[in-house]
Amino acid sequence: MTNRSGILFAVGATVAGLVTAAPSPASADSEAQRAAPVKWTDCGTQSSPTLQCATVRSPLDHDQPSGRQVTLALTRVPHTAKTFQGPLLVNPGGPGGSGLSMAGFVAASLPKAVAAQYDVIGFDPRGVGRSRPALDCVPKYFDPVRPDPVPHSVQDERTNRNRARDFAAACGKKYPDLLPFMDTVSAAKDLDVIRRATGSRQLNYLGYSYGTYLGSVYAKLFPERVRRLVLDSNVDPDGVWYDDNLSQDYAFDTRHKAFAAWVAKYDATYGLGSDPGRVEAAWYRMRDAVGKNPAGKKVGAGELDDTFLPGGYYNGYWPALAEAFAAYVHDKDEQALVKAYERFAAVDAEGDNGYSVYSAVQCRDAQWPEDWNVWRSDSRRVHAKAPFMTWGNTWYNAPCADWPVEPLNPVRVSNRGLPPALLFQATDDAATPYEGGVTLHRKLKGSSLVVEEGGGNHGVTLSGNACLDRYLADYLAKGTVPRGKGGDVDAVCARTPDPKPAAAKSARPASRTDASGGTLHGLLGFRG
């Protein structure tokens, strides 16, 4: 982990020029004035009654702006305050995550006085959700029971290898005209189309996970168009994408061990042992058992991995996962695992779409090893130290070894032309490990890094940590960023406490999005 020495009490610094409202459409640049305005229609819901919906058209190939167009789906919660600070585009990550629900969530989660000053805009990136065309390379690709991700023989590896190769071939056959334009640079240029369609000279942006990379690329391409930039749980831009996935393997294994330690702490509740090592060993015995005899003929080894993976993103899921774990170990309750799988891991048509876009973008964005021996060697090496998800992550990304479109070169996101950006990072984040936040902070000159010390959740603002949320609100309201007096970190917040077993027993939630404090984590993009 990057040295965090020199962390001091932060002092506030107001960014010059950011307190005034964004230009109204009437005063926007000539390019915006020429753009057709967005036509918003009411599409309110019970939780977001003022929500509006719209679509915009964007070039499939931004080098051919008059050529074929794609349609981007948008949602908006309009501003209500006299002070209007412009559009705030919000993105939940992925790539492949739908952002339409994010507008209502962010508008409701920010302080009312702050949210009222922005048009909070969610969007489905190209290829995603309600945007058109939407990708779905292989419907039901994740239907159970899949082969065990961990190869126990040459034939096991060949089975998974062929499966990933077939997925890549199917994408190429189905979408030969789209795949060359499924990449982060194209998606970032779409953001500028949205900006122009709103009639704004600049935009504000809040992105989580992969959304931090999308925002960083946009900022590199259009630094003069960025007004405020919030990046939460940051992708390491130097590892896009193969090395970043290897880093994830180690980090998720650490989080799985943290889950085992939490279960051990509550041995009186779960009865799985008070020693974390024994709990972890019991989990792997369970994995071996369902690998041989899938629970309910639905949860094999791969499905079990997927079921417990969300616990690495958000510890609010730990009580429900521990209950299913204990029920299987003590009572051989297969349905407990089936229900947990259906709640946390089952992939529907939206998930098929998300994975197709995830693969299309990551495989196109950057070079992946062409020699399968590299993948095999790295996977074996990392699995020996971090077995929880290494091989599963390998096969998840393996279509990139045979992707039918040539890769691009990653964008160098280093930037000196931005107003101060505000970055948030948990020290024990598994999906985007801490070092990535420090790296991005160093690359964005003048940015400020706020750290949740000891936190392991992925996506830390607007999810229950009042300290972090104060920094976010101050920045969006006044342009205020914290400034440390040395080191890489500008401000530190204590971590959100781990859950307790009673939280799951009193009113057990029915979905991923209604656990206490877990709404954000149910909205975060496909695979983060």
Side-chain angles (χ1 to χ4, degrees):
M1 173 113 8
T2 302
N3 184 5
R4 299 192 298 278
S5 62
I7 298 177
L8 302 174
F9 288 105
V11 295
T14 299
V15 181
L18 290 188
V19 178
T20 58
S24 66
S27 62
D29 59 81
S30 58
E31 182 183 22
Q33 290 174 337
R34 291 197 302 268
V38 181
K39 296 180 180 179
W40 298 100
T41 60
D42 292 337
C43 59
T45 65
Q46 184 175 358
S47 60
S48 187
T50 63
L51 193 70
Q52 299 173 334
C53 293
T55 59
V56 297
R57 305 275 283 172
S58 186
L60 173 64
D61 179 357
H62 284 279
D63 291 333
Q64 302 291 332
S66 60
R68 181 179 173 184
Q69 306 284 296
V70 296
T71 301
L72 308 175
L74 313 178
T75 56
R76 178 180 76 163
V77 176
H79 74 283
T80 56
K82 291 182 179 179
T83 299
F84 176 45
Q85 302 211 48
L88 172 62
L89 272 64
V90 293
N91 180 270
S98 169
L100 296 184
S101 297
M102 286 293 291
F105 166 75
V106 171
S109 301
L110 287 171
K112 290 182 179 180
V114 177
Q117 297 178 33
Y118 288 92
D119 284 349
V120 183
I121 297 177
F123 60 96
D124 277 353
R126 58 174 53 202
V128 175
R130 295 183 186 176
S131 292
R132 292 292 180 267
L135 274 62
D136 188 352
C137 296
V138 181
K140 300 183 179 181
Y141 182 72
F142 289 97
D143 275 10
V145 173
R146 308 192 313 274
D148 188 338
V150 180
H152 301 287
S153 66
V154 172
Q155 182 57 47
D156 287 347
E157 182 179 334
R158 183 177 297 118
T159 296
N160 277 305
R161 178 82 172 94
N162 289 340
R163 189 167 179 274
R165 184 186 288 117
D166 290 347
F167 182 89
C171 289
K173 183 177 180 179
K174 196 169 184 179
Y175 302 111
D177 53 339
L178 297 179
L179 294 188
F181 308 105
M182 292 298 301
D183 59 89
T184 299
V185 169
S186 294
K189 291 179 178 179
D190 289 342
L191 297 186
D192 209 54
V193 171
I194 296 172
R195 175 195 65 80
R196 295 200 307 268
T198 65
S200 300
R201 184 175 63 84
Q202 293 179 307
L203 59 75
N204 309 280
Y205 180 88
L206 166 60
Y208 293 88
S209 191
Y210 164 78
T212 66
Y213 185 63
L214 176 60
S216 300
V217 170
Y218 178 83
K220 181 66 174 183
L221 298 177
F222 307 102
E224 73 284 358
R225 302 299 185 196
V226 176
R227 182 172 179 272
R228 289 184 186 151
L229 181 66
V230 184
L231 307 176
D232 184 328
S233 303
N234 296 277
V235 167
D236 186 341
D238 289 343
V240 176
W241 288 110
Y242 184 77
D243 288 344
D244 279 348
N245 278 278
L246 293 178
S247 297
Q248 279 188 340
D249 297 339
Y250 290 108
F252 269 105
D253 194 79
T254 298
R255 285 304 286 164
H256 192 57
K257 286 178 168 61
F259 166 69
W262 181 87
V263 173
K265 179 180 178 180
Y266 294 104
D267 180 46
T269 300
Y270 302 114
L272 293 167
S274 58
D275 174 54
R278 288 183 59 190
V279 173
E280 188 178 19
W283 190 89
Y284 280 104
R285 287 195 298 272
M286 177 175 64
R287 188 186 189 282
D288 289 342
V290 300
K292 296 172 183 175
N293 296 293
K297 298 182 180 180
K298 184 175 285 189
V299 182
E303 288 75 27
L304 188 77
D305 293 347
D306 291 350
T307 300
F308 282 78
L309 183 64
Y313 285 90
Y314 176 53
N315 61 11
Y317 301 143
W318 288 358
L321 292 172
E323 286 185 4
F325 179 12
Y328 182 83
V329 171
H330 297 311
D331 305 322
K332 301 302 178 186
D333 185 349
E334 296 187 359
Q335 286 306 306
L337 289 185
V338 171
K339 290 178 181 178
Y341 164 75
E342 291 174 345
R343 175 182 168 190
F344 291 109
V347 176
D348 56 13
E350 180 181 353
D352 286 335
N353 166 242
Y355 180 64
S356 296
V357 175
Y358 172 94
S359 300
V361 173
Q362 292 220 339
C363 297
R364 176 65 165 152
D365 266 357
Q367 180 70 55
W368 294 72
E370 296 179 350
D371 184 352
W372 184 252
N373 290 323
V374 175
W375 294 70
R376 178 190 296 116
S377 176
D378 285 340
S379 298
R380 288 175 175 175
R381 171 178 54 83
V382 178
H383 176 82
K385 296 180 179 179
F388 172 59
M389 70 164 279
T390 295
W391 274 107
N393 207 18
T394 296
W395 300 123
Y396 198 83
N397 293 283
C400 294
D402 299 283
W403 201 245
V405 180
E406 287 296 314
L408 302 171
N409 293 318
V411 175
R412 295 180 179 180
V413 301
S414 297
N415 205 317
R416 291 177 168 269
L418 291 176
L422 183 59
L423 281 59
F424 293 91
Q425 190 72 41
T427 57
D428 298 334
D429 184 354
T432 52
Y434 175 79
E435 291 81 358
V438 173
T439 297
L440 187 58
H441 175 38
R442 292 172 178 172
K443 289 180 178 294
L444 302 183
K445 183 177 175 59
S447 64
S448 177
L449 177 61
V450 180
V451 168
E452 185 183 33
E453 186 68 35
N457 289 338
H458 179 65
V460 294
T461 59
L462 304 183
S463 57
N465 190 312
C467 174
L468 297 171
D469 290 350
R470 280 195 298 270
Y471 286 112
L472 174 62
D474 286 347
Y475 180 67
L476 292 177
K478 300 174 292 185
T480 301
V481 296
R483 291 300 186 196
K485 295 183 179 179
D488 286 314
V489 178
D490 294 287
V492 178
C493 292
R495 71 184 181 94
T496 304
D498 287 338
K500 295 182 179 180
K505 290 180 179 296
S506 60
R508 188 172 307 161
S511 71
R512 289 180 60 177
T513 61
D514 58 6
S516 176
T519 302
L520 170 67
H521 301 88
L523 296 176
L524 290 185
F526 204 78
R527 200 76 166 192

